[in-house]
Each structure stands twice: as C-alpha cells, then as structure tokens.
Amino acid sequence: MAKPELSARTVLEPLSFFNLSDHSRAQVTSLAIYTVSDSQCLIYIGTQFGALFLFSVNPGNPNDETRSDRSNSPSVLQNISLLRKVVVGNSSVESIQVIGDFGKLLVLLGGFLFTVDSLLLQPVKRLSFLRGISVITRRLRSSESESSNLSALSSSSEYTSTSQRFLQKLGSGIRANGLKMKETVQQRVDNHVFSVVIGKRLVLIELVLINRVGKSDQDIDDGSFVILKEIQCIDGVMAMVWLNDSIIVSTVNGYSLFSCVTGQSGVIFSLPDGSSLPRLKLLCKEWNLLLLVDNVGIIANAHGQPVGGSLVFHSNPDSIGEISSYVVVARDGKLELYHKKTGTCIQMVTFGGEGVGGPCVVADEEDRTGNLVVVATPTKVVCFRKLPSEEQIKDLLRKKNFKEAISLVEELECEGELSKDMLSFVHAQVGFLLLFDLHFEEAVNHFLQSEAMQPSEVFPFIMRDPNRWSLLVPRNRYWGLHPPPAPLEDVVDDGLLAIQRAIFLRKAGVETVVDDAFLLNPPSRDNLLESAIKSITRYLEVSREKELTPSVKEGVDTLLMYLYRALNNVYDMEKLASSANSCVVEELETLLDDSGHLRTLAFLYASKGMSSKALGIWRILARHYSSGLWKDPVMESGSQDGGTNIVSGKETAAAEASKLLEESSDPGLVLQHLGWVADINQVFAVQVLTSEKRVNQLPPDEVIAAIDPKKVEIFQRYLQWLIEDQESYDSQFHTLYALSLAKSAIEAFQAEIASQNLDPGRIEETNISDHRTSLIFQSPVRERLQIFLEASDLYDPEEVLDLIEGSELWSEKAILYKKLGQEALVLQILAL
C-alpha cells in the first residue's frame, strides 16, 4: 500500500490500489490510461504473456474525511475494479495506444498491431499488413501552425499505389485518394497518425475513420489504415516520440531526430559508452521532450534543442511519467516527483515494499490537464491522484511551511492555475496563522501583501465584541486553519499556554509544531503584547492610505488611537489627533481624559470643529503648567540648526489656543479666552485679534472694551491694525490711538529721566524689561506717535494737545499746532 514519506509538500495522494498477484503472475510490461468522464477512468495493463487487463477507477475528488483516512484504510484504497481480461497473444504486450474518441485500442505485441474495442467486449483483430514492428508512437500536435497536415500526403501520386494495395487487402471500400468505390458516399470524420519502426524503416500510417453519408453518426466503420510515408531510419530504435513535424528516436548510441515532412535526419547527441538504456518522454504540458542520460533528464523542445535546466534523479528510473508541472519517475517500488523548472525532488512515495521483483511501469493521461498517474509492479497497481492546488497549500500551512506555501501559490499563479486573488487570500491566511503563533511582525508583513484583506478583519484583535464596528468584520474564517479572532491579550495568553504545553510534551519525547526558539527561550508576556500592538499599529497606519469606506475609516483611526495610547506613544497620538482624521470622539473622550492625555483630546476636539471644548482644555493646561518645560514637537521639527527648541508648557498651551482663536469668528468665544492668552503672551493675543484667517472680523467696539487696560501695547496694536490694515476712517479709533500713543510717550519720557538717577544694575534690568515688552512694536513709541500725528487727519488734535500740554513732547506739540493752523506757536517751538 502506498504511504507518502514525510516531505515538505504533498502533490500526489494514493487514489486506488489493486493486488495483481491473485489474477496474474506475469510481469506488467505496458500501461495506458483513458479518462472517460469526471467519475470514470479506464486503466489498461499489458503483461509479458500477452494478457490485457481493464480496470475502472473513480478519479473524483475525495472529501477531506476520506483523505485523512486514506493512508490507513485499505478498503478506501481498493476502490478499483477489474472489469475484464482478454488474451491478445502469447508474447509480451509492448505498447497500448488508446484511441478514446473512436473507442478502440491499438496494441503492439510480437511485431504485430492488434485492435480491440476500449471495453474489451469484441474479439481482438490482428492487422496483418505490417509485420516486424518494434516501436509505435502516436503523433501529437501542439498547434496547427507548428505542424504540417500529413493527411494531404495520402492523395499524392507518390503513395497512392501503395495505399491502394493495403486498403484493398483490408476491404475498406475506398481508394487512397478518397474517391468512391461503392454507391454509398463516404467521408473522413477523424484521423489518427502513428509512426512505427520496422527494422530500419520508419513508416507513417494514418487510421481513417469512416462515416457513411445517409447513416447515423454512430454508424462508423472500424476504419482503415493508410500508409502516408516511409522514411529510412536507423537500426536498434528502442523508444520514439512524435511531436509536430519531429520524430525523435533513441538507440543505445544516442538520440536522433527525423523530419516527417522531408525525411531528413540528424543526431541530437550521442551517449557515452557504458550509459544506461536511453528513455524518452513527451512532456505535454509545455510540449517538450525529456531525454534521459543515465540518471539525468534533459528537457528539449520539438527540434531537439535543450530548454531550461536538467533534472537529476536519485537513480536510473525504470519508467517516466508527467503530471502538471512535475516529472514522475519510478524505480524499486518508489515514486519520485520532480519539479520541471527547479529540478527539486518535491515528493517521494514508497508503494512497492521490499523486493519488488521487477521493473516499475508508469503511465499518465498524456493530457496537459491530466491529474492521474498509474504505476504498476509485478504484483500490484496503484493509482495516484494529484491533490487539488488548494489542498496542497492547506497541507503546507498545516505543517507550518509558510514560505513554501507562498512559493507554491506564486508558482501556480505564474502557470495560470491560480488567480492573483488566491495569492492575496493565502497571504492573509498565512498572516493569521503567524499571528496566532505569536509571530506578529511576520504576520503583518503578510497582511500588507494581501490586497484582498480588509482592515476591519483586525478590529476584533483590538476591541472586544460587541462594539461599534462589529458588523463590519467579515465573518470569513478562510480555510478554518486558525482560531477565531480574539483580543491580542487573549491571543498572547493562549500562545503562552501552548508554549508551556509544548515544553512539557517535548520533555516527554513528543514532537510539537511550536517554534523551537520559543521552546528554548520562552518570551515574556509584556514583550509579546508590545510586539503585537506595534505590529497591528503598523498595519493600521498603512491601511489609512487605502481607499476605505467612511465607517471603516472611523474604525481604523479610532482603534489606532487606542493602540497609540496602549503604547503611551504621545507623539503619534497628538500627530493623529491634530491631523485630518476619522476618529470617533465619543469612543475616545473618556479614554483620553482618564489617562491624562488632555493635549491629545484638545487636538482631537479641534480637528472635529469642537473649538470650545478644545480651548477649555488648553486653558486648564495653561493654568496647571506651573513648572517644568515642554518639548514641542512642532517647533522641534522646524528648528534650523537641528537643535531642540524648549518652550514653556504655558506658552505651548497659549500658542495652540491662539491657533484656534485666529480662525474663530465667534466674538464671545474669542474674547472669553483672550485674557488668559494675553497674560501668557501678548504677541499671541495680538495675532488673535488681527488674524485674517477668520471669515468675519470681530466687532471692534466689543474688542476694545474687552482688552485689559493694562495691556496697552495690545490695545495700540489692535487700533493700528484697524486704521492701517483695515483702513478704518472712524475718527473715534484714530483719536483713541493718538491719545494712547501720547500717554505711552509721556510715560516713556518720564521713565527715561528717572532711569538716569538709577544704578547701572537697575538700568540693565529696566532695559531687559523694555526689551521683553517690545516684541509687538519694533520702533520707539515717540516715533510711532509722531508718524501717526503727521499722517492722520481724523483724530481730534485739541484733545491730544490737552493731554500732552504739560509735557516735554515739543515735537508732537508742533505737529498738533500745525494741524490747528497756529503757525506762530509752531515757530516758537522750533525756535526753542
């Protein structure tokens, strides 16, 4: 009974088994397969004493349960039936050619050809017109364009006389040129061309099947053979293959090629002395040939030119077969499977046991899509079936051979057997298996290579069901090879338990599928959980760039924030919250508030247009930043010299609040928060009041009333902005601005006089103070006052003059008197 040996990949599985020793003690010499339908395959076996056996087997797909018991249940494997047996002659059956569409067999035995129906119901007929045949092969054509139409030769004058003689002997009722000899009109409906070797002659013959017009389609004669051509051959031909217009033959001396059109021949290559018997095999899938030199198989095209690499077998095979992308060789009760392109031995199956007692014979369906291989020994027949591609992949995944599984899918995709969608599917399946094996980084690598996988499939690993996004998760268990999704904490805990069980079993001598690295050095729960969270985070970050539905986007961004918080990754939390995002605020408010990530919550509020809540948080943060420094990532990234800019936490809060206030057109909201922002940084306050970002400007009267009288420079800068930038012609604003400047100029003059009586240290302190408050204006206050008094005609000069009358601001007084038209006073001031 066939038992596959332990290997990385299982391509062939035993389908049926039959013990020949109960029916014949003769050695099997030839095999042939013909697939009738999806549920029936006929197997023909020829023996050394001329017997022909017919078996029937069902090649259909066994279910998984049957497959799992297949290696242990003889009753399952013995689902092959012997239909009947006939005796063709008393010598070895050398070849069986199945003409399935005609329902006939062509059998070579004792130098003669015999015909018999495919079910072995009718008597065997011997074709006596050809004698001494040693080898026969059937012509196969890869395409019409690659081969000539040899049937036209039957009507040429060169071969008509010969053909007529043979047809008359057979009593076929037609001439070689197809003209009518009887009253019934005849038509050729199909043709099969063969090449036979007789001594040093290569004879090309055609089996013509005849349908007499006027009768039913089933009324077809047994057919007639027509000799198409004879070609001078070489002596000692042992094997032969006919592909398109090339006939390749092998002898003990080497391989030669004959053209069936011109009859010309040439040597492909010669064999060295002492070589094993040469063998030929037609590889139908790629329409190539396999030429054997000892234990090396050389793949060549129809012209005898090598293509690709060579296949090196473990030993000289008894027989060679083909199935899909593999070459099958048999010897000493072992079946080996080699990949044609890589030359790798994929699988080895032992089926003959000890002491096979004779050579093995292999047969395939000689079909590009065939899935069956039959191998026979003197005592048994075993039929192997190619596992469906999906079953091969599943088998590798169960054995944890993930890399080979992916390689197999890529190989099958290149060969057109699987779609690109299947490759994406398998990448996702591998990813889930690796995830439950605690290889999180590798799992995500496969997730990212799967175009078919949806981001929502990882949601259950982050948040327990039920939740807002439970219905978005596809209920797709793939092939059921991994457990259902569970939170990462549960996955890690279950994985650690599996590792502990494996360690115990290993000590007891039981092999397990757990990673050896984990057994030798069990990982910690914290490290595994951190790796899991980082890996899923990476997957969601990449998923954000994909085209997703709005609901899935919400899930991706919200759960990404969950993961950032779990890692305490403040930088990425704030980056996500402050950028365009689809986070659901209700899902994150409590989480961020309880964990103290108020900055992130403020950014999130702001990104959702909830400015009032965001400003409330910034006000609270500014109030509680009584000490310490805050490393601002925004200013850090904008550093010119690569250094780190450190700003106080209060100013950071004020800066973020001012950004929101600059865009707000709500006077109540702006003026509510203007005071505390101005207390921290007057420049921010000015930027808020003079912002051009808002849609509607703030009412000037309300702003002027709300400005703290102590914040003189804010008041002056706002009035300057109204007059100069907003081009206000309101005389009230002009007068207020002039009075404020004049008052500040008087105070500055007095401070300057007073500073002359201070010690140097106090003077330096005063200069520092002046410098600190001069960030709003770059020019001295008197200069600004004089410029404004000269430029504006809308303020009340008398009111300003009354304010500065008792001061030493003589230049300003001159300007004002000039505005009032009192030129004499102006000249007196200038004279002074």
Side-chain angles (χ1 to χ4, degrees):
M1 187 182 306
K3 293 184 179 180
E5 296 184 357
L6 183 62
S7 61
R9 188 187 303 183
T10 301
V11 179
L12 295 180
E13 64 172 354
L15 177 67
S16 56
F17 166 82
F18 190 83
N19 193 341
L20 285 174
S21 59
D22 298 334
H23 301 270
S24 173
R25 298 187 181 278
Q27 178 177 309
V28 176
T29 56
S30 58
L31 267 177
I33 307 175
Y34 176 62
T35 301
V36 179
S37 65
D38 292 340
S39 60
Q40 185 183 27
C41 179
L42 301 179
I43 301 173
Y44 303 94
I45 297 178
T47 69
Q48 67 181 124
F49 296 142
L52 189 62
F53 291 85
L54 172 60
F55 295 88
S56 177
V57 66
N58 182 357
N61 297 344
N63 57 42
D64 291 337
E65 181 179 354
T66 303
R67 183 178 294 109
S68 63
D69 296 335
R70 191 165 285 278
S71 61
N72 299 319
S73 175
S75 61
V76 173
L77 285 179
Q78 292 178 355
N79 61 349
I80 183 172
S81 57
L82 174 61
L83 298 184
R84 57 192 54 87
K85 166 189 172 183
V86 298
V87 177
V88 181
N90 55 10
S91 59
S92 175
V93 177
E94 300 172 49
S95 175
I96 304 172
Q97 301 287 332
V98 182
I99 311 174
D101 50 358
F102 189 39
K104 294 289 184 180
L105 302 182
L106 200 58
V107 181
L108 175 60
L109 181 147
F112 289 94
L113 289 177
F114 297 82
T115 62
V116 63
D117 66 287
S118 59
L119 296 179
L120 307 188
L121 296 174
Q122 304 297 324
V124 178
K125 297 180 180 179
R126 189 179 79 170
L127 304 179
S128 58
F129 72 100
L130 291 176
R131 302 169 180 265
I133 300 174
S134 58
V135 183
I136 182 173
T137 191
R138 181 178 174 180
R139 185 195 196 193
L140 293 178
R141 304 169 71 180
S142 60
S143 66
E144 295 291 337
S145 60
E146 294 290 333
S147 53
S148 304
N149 183 9
L150 296 181
S151 299
L153 295 176
S154 63
S155 60
S156 64
S157 58
E158 183 180 353
Y159 305 108
T160 299
S161 59
T162 306
S163 301
Q164 283 179 336
R165 288 198 302 270
F166 284 113
L167 290 172
Q168 289 169 358
K169 291 181 180 179
L170 293 172
S172 63
I174 63 171
R175 293 190 178 97
N177 61 6
L179 296 177
K180 182 177 68 173
M181 293 181 64
K182 294 184 179 181
E183 292 182 0
T184 305
V185 179
Q186 301 158 346
Q187 294 178 337
R188 174 179 293 165
V189 296
D190 203 351
N191 68 88
H192 299 273
V193 182
F194 299 86
S195 172
V196 298
V197 176
I198 304 176
K200 291 186 178 182
R201 290 186 302 151
L202 199 59
V203 183
L204 312 185
I205 61 176
E206 179 183 14
L207 174 60
V208 182
L209 316 181
I210 302 302
N211 180 16
R212 302 183 185 278
V213 175
K215 297 187 178 183
S216 65
D217 292 340
Q218 284 80 22
D219 188 11
I220 300 177
D221 289 352
D222 287 346
S224 304
F225 282 92
V226 177
I227 293 181
L228 301 176
K229 195 169 189 177
E230 290 187 12
I231 300 173
Q232 185 66 31
C233 191
I234 54 179
D235 196 15
V237 174
M238 306 179 67
M240 178 169 55
V241 168
W242 190 357
L243 176 59
N244 296 331
D245 291 346
S246 299
I247 301 175
I248 295 89
V249 300
S250 66
T251 67
V252 292
N253 297 319
Y255 295 92
S256 299
L257 184 146
F258 291 83
S259 171
C260 66
V261 178
T262 65
Q264 295 179 348
S265 64
V267 176
I268 299 177
F269 61 83
S270 300
L271 294 176
D273 295 337
S275 299
S276 302
L277 295 179
R279 299 187 185 280
L280 269 172
K281 173 61 184 174
L282 176 63
L283 305 178
C284 295
K285 185 174 178 61
E286 297 86 9
W287 297 115
N288 286 325
L289 310 168
L290 184 69
L291 291 70
L292 196 65
V293 181
D294 293 331
N295 66 324
V296 177
I298 301 171
I299 299 178
N301 59 20
H303 305 291
Q305 299 170 343
V307 291
S310 301
L311 306 180
V312 180
F313 307 124
H314 291 147
S315 59
N316 299 334
D318 291 336
S319 185
I320 306 172
E322 178 197 25
I323 186 166
S324 186
S325 301
Y326 309 97
V327 169
V328 182
V329 297
R331 182 180 176 90
D332 298 331
K334 291 183 179 180
L335 196 69
E336 296 175 358
L337 200 69
Y338 292 84
H339 196 281
K340 296 176 192 173
K341 291 184 178 179
T342 65
T344 306
C345 183
I346 301 297
Q347 184 182 3
M348 183 181 295
V349 182
T350 302
F351 61 88
E354 297 295 333
V356 174
C360 304
V361 182
V362 177
D364 56 56
E365 297 178 81
E366 293 190 349
D367 189 307
R368 303 185 71 190
T369 59
N371 289 316
L372 294 180
V373 169
V374 178
V375 59
T377 70
T379 59
K380 63 182 67 175
V381 176
V382 184
C383 184
F384 291 92
R385 170 182 167 272
K386 177 177 172 285
L387 273 175
S389 300
E390 290 188 7
E391 294 302 325
Q392 295 183 47
I393 300 167
K394 289 181 188 178
D395 182 66
L396 290 172
L397 295 180
R398 292 187 186 100
K399 296 174 181 176
K400 308 294 184 182
N401 290 318
F402 301 130
K403 290 183 180 179
E404 189 164 356
I406 295 296
S407 298
L408 175 59
V409 178
E410 292 174 343
E411 170 190 314
L412 295 172
E413 182 195 1
C414 292
E415 294 174 357
E417 293 189 26
L418 290 180
S419 65
K420 189 176 181 180
D421 292 340
M422 177 56 71
L423 179 59
S424 293
F425 175 90
V426 174
H427 270 300
Q429 175 69 91
V430 170
F432 283 113
L433 289 170
L434 285 167
L435 188 145
F436 282 98
D437 283 348
L438 307 184
H439 295 285
F440 302 109
E441 184 176 355
E442 295 177 54
V444 168
N445 290 341
H446 284 282
F447 287 160
L448 294 176
Q449 294 182 73
S450 174
E451 297 179 3
M453 182 173 170
Q454 303 177 30
S456 57
E457 293 184 57
V458 303
F459 289 178
F461 293 98
I462 306 170
M463 181 177 286
R464 293 186 183 274
D465 286 333
N467 57 63
R468 180 188 292 262
W469 300 282
S470 294
L471 297 179
L472 297 179
V473 181
R475 301 304 172 186
N476 183 0
R477 289 287 307 282
Y478 295 88
W479 283 326
L481 302 179
H482 63 271
L488 291 175
E489 295 89 341
D490 296 349
V491 173
V492 170
D493 291 338
D494 292 343
L496 289 173
L497 286 176
I499 292 173
Q500 295 300 322
R501 286 195 298 269
I503 292 174
F504 175 78
L505 293 173
R506 180 67 64 89
K507 291 179 179 179
V510 179
E511 291 296 327
T512 64
V513 293
V514 176
D515 193 334
D516 288 340
F518 286 160
L519 296 180
L520 297 174
N521 185 22
S524 68
R525 184 181 188 274
D526 291 343
N527 290 340
L528 284 174
L529 193 56
E530 181 181 2
S531 173
I533 295 174
K534 286 183 177 179
S535 297
I536 297 298
T537 298
R538 179 164 62 95
Y539 176 72
L540 292 182
E541 287 174 341
V542 176
S543 298
R544 293 192 76 217
E545 307 301 322
K546 298 180 179 180
E547 292 291 334
L548 305 174
T549 62
S551 55
V552 174
K553 284 183 179 180
E554 289 181 354
V556 169
D557 284 1
T558 305
L559 296 179
L560 190 56
M561 187 69 78
Y562 265 85
L563 297 177
Y564 285 150
R565 194 211 66 82
L567 296 171
N568 197 29
N569 190 341
V570 177
Y571 175 83
D572 285 328
M573 289 173 67
E574 295 184 1
K575 181 180 178 182
L576 174 61
S578 59
S579 63
N581 63 79
S582 300
C583 293
V584 179
V585 177
E586 307 89 81
E587 293 285 339
L588 297 171
E589 279 180 306
T590 303
L591 176 75
L592 297 175
D593 195 3
D594 292 347
S595 63
H597 293 95
L598 295 181
R599 282 174 53 93
T600 301
L601 185 56
F603 285 129
L604 185 60
Y605 280 143
S607 70
K608 299 302 178 183
M610 305 168 71
S611 300
S612 179
K613 288 188 174 183
L615 289 167
I617 292 178
W618 289 122
R619 186 171 189 173
I620 294 173
L621 291 175
R623 186 182 305 162
H624 290 85
Y625 276 133
S626 58
S627 63
L629 296 174
W630 182 265
K631 188 175 181 181
D632 191 344
V634 175
M635 296 189 68
E636 182 185 37
S637 63
S639 175
Q640 297 296 325
D641 58 0
T644 301
N645 290 290
I646 304 298
V647 295
S648 70
K650 286 187 176 182
E651 291 213 355
T652 299
E656 295 297 339
S658 68
K659 293 177 184 177
L660 298 176
L661 294 173
E662 287 175 24
E663 297 180 357
S664 175
S665 299
D666 183 354
L669 182 64
V670 174
L671 299 180
Q672 175 189 354
H673 293 277
L674 180 65
W676 70 268
V677 171
D679 290 339
I680 296 173
N681 191 308
Q682 294 189 27
V683 175
F684 293 160
V686 170
Q687 291 173 351
V688 170
L689 294 177
T690 61
S691 173
E692 302 286 349
K693 297 178 181 178
R694 58 175 58 95
V695 177
N696 299 313
Q697 291 301 329
L698 304 175
D701 293 334
E702 294 183 24
V703 173
I704 292 172
I707 296 176
D708 186 349
K710 297 179 182 179
K711 306 293 192 302
V712 177
E713 289 197 341
I714 297 176
F715 179 73
Q716 293 175 357
R717 180 66 186 91
Y718 178 68
L719 288 173
Q720 182 189 27
W721 175 77
L722 283 177
I723 295 169
E724 296 180 2
D725 294 7
Q726 298 298 304
E727 299 180 351
S728 174
Y729 296 101
D730 192 326
S731 59
Q732 178 186 356
F733 297 153
H734 284 250
T735 301
L736 285 174
Y737 185 45
L739 291 172
S740 180
L741 288 174
K743 184 178 179 181
S744 295
I746 293 170
E747 293 175 353
F749 183 80
Q750 293 173 349
E752 184 179 354
I753 296 299
S755 66
Q756 295 176 2
N757 301 322
L758 298 177
D759 58 270
R762 294 291 300 274
I763 294 175
E764 183 179 355
E765 181 181 343
T766 302
N767 291 336
I768 293 174
S769 176
D770 292 342
H771 177 72
R772 182 181 301 120
T773 59
S774 65
L775 294 176
I776 295 177
F777 295 105
Q778 300 298 321
S779 58
V781 64
R782 285 196 67 181
E783 180 182 340
R784 286 184 278 121
L785 174 59
Q786 293 172 11
I787 293 174
F788 180 72
L789 293 177
E790 288 277 8
S792 176
D793 295 326
L794 297 178
Y795 62 89
D796 185 348
E798 292 182 355
E799 190 171 349
V800 177
L801 191 59
D802 289 343
L803 178 63
I804 66 173
E805 187 65 38
S807 70
E808 299 295 325
L809 303 181
W810 297 106
S811 297
E812 289 80 357
K813 291 177 183 179
I815 296 172
L816 291 171
Y817 283 128
K818 184 178 179 181
K819 289 282 186 180
L820 294 172
Q822 301 180 22
E823 301 293 339
L825 292 175
V826 173
L827 293 174
Q828 291 179 12
I829 293 172
L830 293 176
L832 292 174

